[in-house]
C-alpha cells in the first residue's frame, strides 16, 4: 500500500518497472529505489481580497537523500495532487543523476487554479507555502525552483519569506530567482535553450537542413517559448504553437518574439490573431521536423504516437509520453528520433545547479559561461544516452532512465540502508 495514486504516479511506477527489469534489479531492492523518502502535506490559509479565509492544499515530495539535497520545481495548478507530485519528484531523481548533479529529486505544488486568484492573493499563497515548508527545506536539505504556474517572482517571494525567518538573506534556498535577487543569468532561458540545442544536434545528425526545417510547439510557457525562440534563431520556421487557450498556425512561420511579447502582456496566446487560429487537437500530429511537447504530462498516448509526423520528438515537458505510447515509438524509432524528457528538459535543473553554486560561493558567472557549461553537460549526457541505447539495443528513454537509476542505485549500495 502507498499514499500515492493516480495516472501520473502509475506511469512513473510503470516506467521504473521497465528499467528495473532491464537492469535485473532484485525485487526486494525496487521499493527502496522507487518510493519517496518523505512526503509533506500542508494546508495554506490566506486572506482573500474580500476578507474571507481560503485554505489551499500544498505538497512537497523528497524522493531520495542519497546524493545530496533534493531539488525540483514547485507547481501551482489545479491538477496538483500527491501522486502527481511524487511522480515528478521521482523523474527529477533520474534526471539529476543522468546529468550528474549532486541531488536527489523533489517536487512540490499547490492545488490552485491561478485564474481565480489575484496577484496579492498569489503573493500571500506563495509566502504561506514557503512558511509552512521552512521546517523541511534548506540550502543543503531541499532546494525549490519554478515549474508550471510559478515564476521568478514566486521564487523571490519564497526566498524572501525564508530569509526573513532566518534573519539574513539566504539566496541559495531556491533557484530560478530574478537576477536582481541572486538569480543567475541564463536560468530563465535554460530549459528551452537546452531543448533547442539538443534538437539541433539531432537534426544535424539526421542531415536535416535547418533552414528548410519546421517546428511545432505545444505549450507556450517558459519552456515552449524559449525553445521556439532558439529554434527560430537556428533557421527553423515555427509553424504552430498552442497553449491552454488555443493554437496558432502559419506555414510561413510565426513571429516568436511577437508572441512572447503578447503572452508577457496578456498571460496567454488568446487574442493574438483570429486569422491564424487553428484546432489545438491537430498540433501534436502536424507534419514537421521537430515537435516539442512543452505543456502537460501524458499528452501523447498510443494512438497519437502512431500518428506523429515529426522527425524529432523533443520532450520539453515532464512525462508527456505514456508507457503505451513508448511501445509504439520503440517500433517507430527509425522514423521518430526521441529525445526523452529527463535529458531534453534537463537544462533547467542544470542551470539551477549553477545558480545554487554561484549563490553558495557569492561568485557570479557571465551568461556565456553559463551557456557553455550547460551545453557541455547536455552534450555529454546525450552522448552517454546514445551510446547506451546502441550498445544495449534499447530505446532512448530506457537508456536515459537506466543511467539515472543505476547511478542512484550505486550510491545507495555503497552507502548502506540509511539514505
Ligand atoms: N521544474 C523544472 C524541472 O522539472 C526545474 C527544476 C529545477 O530547476 O530545480 O526540471
Amino acid at each position: 500500500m502507498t499514499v500515492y495514486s493516480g495516472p501520473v504516479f502509475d506511469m512513473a511506477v510503470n516506467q521504473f518497472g521497465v528499467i528495473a527489469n532491464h537492469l535485473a534489479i532484485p525485487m526486494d531492492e525496487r521499493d527502496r529505489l522507487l518510493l519517496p523518502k518523505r512526503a509533506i502535506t500542508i494546508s495554506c490559509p490566506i486572506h482573500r481580497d474580500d476578507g474571507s479565509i481560503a485554505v489551499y492544499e500544498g505538497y512537497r515530495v523528497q524522493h531520495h537523500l542519497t546524493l545530496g539535497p533534493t531539488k525540483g520545481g514547485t507547481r501551482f495548478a489545479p491538477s496538483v495532487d500527491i501522486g502527481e507530485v511524487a511522480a515528478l519528484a521521482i523523474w527529477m531523481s533520474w534526471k539529476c543523476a543522468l546529468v550528474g548533479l549532486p541531488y536527489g529529486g523533489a517536487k512540490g505544488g499547490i492545488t490552485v487554479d491561478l485564474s481565480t486568484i489575484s496577484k496579492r492573493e498569489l503573493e500571500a499563497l506563495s509566502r504561506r507555502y514557503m512558511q509552512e515548508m521552512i521546517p523541511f527545506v534548506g540550502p543543503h536539505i531541499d532546494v525549490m525552483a519554478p515549474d508550471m504556474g510559478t515564476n521568478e517572482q514566486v521564487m523571490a517571494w519564497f526566498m524572501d519569506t525564508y530569509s526573513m525567518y532566518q534573519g539574513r538573506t539566504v539566496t541559495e534556498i531556491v533557484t530560478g530567482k530574478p537576477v536582481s535577487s541572486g538569480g543567475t543569468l541564463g536560468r530563465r532561458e535554460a530549459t528551452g535553450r537546452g531543448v533547442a540545442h539538443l534538437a539541433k544536434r539531432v537534426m544535424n545528425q539526421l542531415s536535416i537542413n535547418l533552414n528548410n526545417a519546421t517546428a511545432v510547439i505545444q505549450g507556450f510557457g517558459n519552456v515552449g517559448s524559449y525553445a521556439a525562440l532558439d529554434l527560430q534563431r537556428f533557421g527553423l520556421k515555427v509553424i504552430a504553437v498552442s497553449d491552454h487557450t488555443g493554437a496558432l498556425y502559419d506555414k510561413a512561420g510565426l513571429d516568436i518574439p511577437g508572441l512572447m511579447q503578447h503572452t508577457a502582456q496578456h498571460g496567454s496566446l488568446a487574442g493574438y490573431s483570429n486569422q491564424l487560429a487553428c484546432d489545438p487537437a491537430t498540433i501534436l500530429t502536424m507534419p514537421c521536423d521537430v515537435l516539442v511537447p512543452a505543456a502537460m504530462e501524458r499528452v501523447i498516448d498510443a494512438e497519437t504516437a502512431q500518428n506523429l509526423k515529426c522527425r524529432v520528438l523533443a520532450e520539453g515537458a515532464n512525462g508527456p509520453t505514456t508507457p503505451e505510447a513508448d511501445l509504439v515509438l520503440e517500433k517507430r524509432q527509425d522514423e521518430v528520433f526521441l529525445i526523452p524528457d529527463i535529458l531534453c528538459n534537463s537544462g533547467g535543473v542544470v542551470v539551477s545547479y549553477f545558480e545554487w553554486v554561484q549563490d553558495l560561493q557569492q561568485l557570479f558567472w557571465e551568461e556565456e559561461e553559463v551557456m557553455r557549461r550547460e551545453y557541455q553537460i547536455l552534450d555529454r549526457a546525450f552522448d552517454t544516452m546514445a551510446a547506451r541505447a546502441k550498445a544495449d539495443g534499447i530505446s532512448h528513454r530506457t537508456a536515459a532512465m537506466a543511467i539515472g537509476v543505476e547511478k542512484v542505485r550505486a550510491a545507495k549500495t555503497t552507502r548502506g540502508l540509511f539514505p
Side-chain angles (χ1 to χ4, degrees):
M1 271 303 285
T2 141
V3 296
Y4 312 106
S5 63
V8 186
F9 186 72
D10 290 348
M11 182 173 150
V13 173
N14 185 318
Q15 285 178 339
F16 176 74
V18 172
I19 306 308
N21 289 341
H22 173 68
L23 296 175
I25 298 176
M27 286 296 171
D28 66 344
E29 213 185 308
R30 294 188 183 192
D31 278 355
R32 185 173 177 227
L33 280 164
L34 182 67
L35 287 180
K37 182 58 87 182
R38 295 177 185 149
I40 298 128
T41 305
I42 56 172
S43 61
C44 300
I46 61 159
H47 284 293
R48 300 293 311 254
D49 291 343
D50 66 5
S52 65
I53 296 169
V55 180
Y56 294 87
E57 282 189 296
Y59 308 95
R60 184 82 183 161
V61 172
Q62 299 167 349
H63 179 230
H64 77 80
L65 314 176
T66 315
L67 287 165
T70 48
K71 184 87 195 76
T74 313
R75 178 173 286 203
F76 289 179
S79 66
V80 168
D81 61 28
I82 191 80
E84 183 188 68
V85 170
L88 290 160
I90 292 167
W91 289 332
M92 283 306 299
S93 284
W94 313 146
K95 186 188 309 189
C96 291
L98 169 68
V99 293
L101 306 183
Y103 295 135
K107 195 70 111 196
I110 301 180
T111 317
V112 56
D113 180 352
L114 291 179
S115 68
T116 62
I117 65 172
S118 69
K119 178 148 189 222
R120 192 206 62 83
E121 291 166 341
L122 175 63
E123 175 172 355
L125 191 54
S126 304
R127 289 187 179 279
R128 187 66 194 223
Y129 178 82
M130 175 50 94
Q131 179 73 46
E132 299 292 343
M133 287 294 170
I134 285 175
F136 311 107
V137 298
H140 295 283
I141 298 171
D142 184 16
V143 182
M144 294 181 188
D147 196 82
M148 192 188 295
T150 58
N151 56 19
E152 291 173 14
Q153 176 61 74
V154 172
M155 295 307 114
W157 288 326
F158 282 176
M159 188 272 278
D160 184 62
T161 304
Y162 186 87
S163 296
M164 288 197 304
Y165 176 81
Q166 296 292 333
R168 67 192 169 90
T169 298
V170 188
T171 52
E172 60 273 27
I173 184 61
V174 296
T175 61
K177 300 177 297 295
V179 174
S180 58
S181 295
T184 181
L185 295 166
R187 174 62 185 89
R188 186 187 296 172
E189 300 83 357
T191 315
R193 226 173 226 171
V195 170
H197 173 79
L198 291 174
K200 178 171 89 170
R201 220 193 118 136
V202 171
M203 283 188 281
N204 287 337
Q205 195 174 313
L206 298 175
S207 307
I208 296 171
N209 179 347
L210 301 186
N211 291 314
N212 293 331
T214 55
V216 170
I217 318 279
Q218 183 198 42
F220 207 69
N222 172 272
V223 180
S225 61
Y226 282 102
L229 191 65
D230 264 14
L231 288 170
Q232 191 169 67
R233 279 202 193 121
F234 297 155
L236 284 84
K237 284 191 186 64
V238 180
I239 56 169
V241 302
S242 71
D243 72 3
H244 63 287
T245 63
L248 299 167
Y249 174 81
D250 185 350
K251 77 170 191 310
L254 291 157
D255 168 17
I256 301 303
L259 282 172
M260 288 174 78
Q261 223 169 5
H262 179 87
T263 52
Q265 226 176 343
H266 304 280
S268 72
L269 295 171
Y272 179 78
S273 158
N274 287 338
Q275 267 131 9
L276 301 176
C278 74
D279 180 2
T282 61
I283 278 272
L284 293 173
T285 52
M286 268 182 199
C288 62
D289 293 285
V290 181
L291 173 66
V292 181
M296 291 291 293
E297 52 270 8
R298 299 174 55 73
V299 293
I300 300 176
D301 59 10
E303 193 187 328
T304 306
Q306 195 58 58
N307 292 324
L308 290 179
K309 293 177 197 72
C310 57
R311 291 288 291 114
V312 182
L313 175 58
E315 293 183 335
N318 291 309
T321 306
T322 67
E324 299 75 35
D326 271 334
L327 296 176
V328 175
L329 290 179
E330 267 176 46
K331 294 203 190 86
R332 299 191 64 202
Q333 260 177 80
D334 295 337
E335 299 159 72
V336 178
F337 191 110
L338 171 71
I339 315 176
D341 55 356
I342 60 167
L343 170 63
C344 195
N345 70 33
S346 65
V349 72
V350 166
V351 177
S352 273
Y353 165 65
F354 297 159
E355 182 174 333
W356 181 71
V357 167
Q358 291 171 77
D359 285 339
L360 286 170
Q361 300 186 339
Q362 290 296 303
L363 179 69
F364 292 89
W365 309 351
E366 300 294 333
E367 187 160 3
E368 289 69 32
E369 175 80 354
V370 171
M371 289 169 70
R372 184 183 65 73
R373 286 177 183 259
E374 175 184 352
Y375 295 149
Q376 191 179 41
I377 290 182
L378 292 183
D379 284 334
R380 196 170 52 208
F382 181 94
D383 288 338
T384 320
M385 182 277 302
R388 179 67 174 264
K390 201 166 170 204
D392 288 6
I394 52 178
S395 72
H396 293 159
R397 185 176 327 279
T398 305
M401 289 186 57
I403 296 165
V405 170
E406 251 171 14
K407 286 196 190 169
V408 176
R409 185 182 179 210
K412 282 196 185 281
T413 306
T414 48
R415 281 192 61 174
L417 212 51
F418 271 103

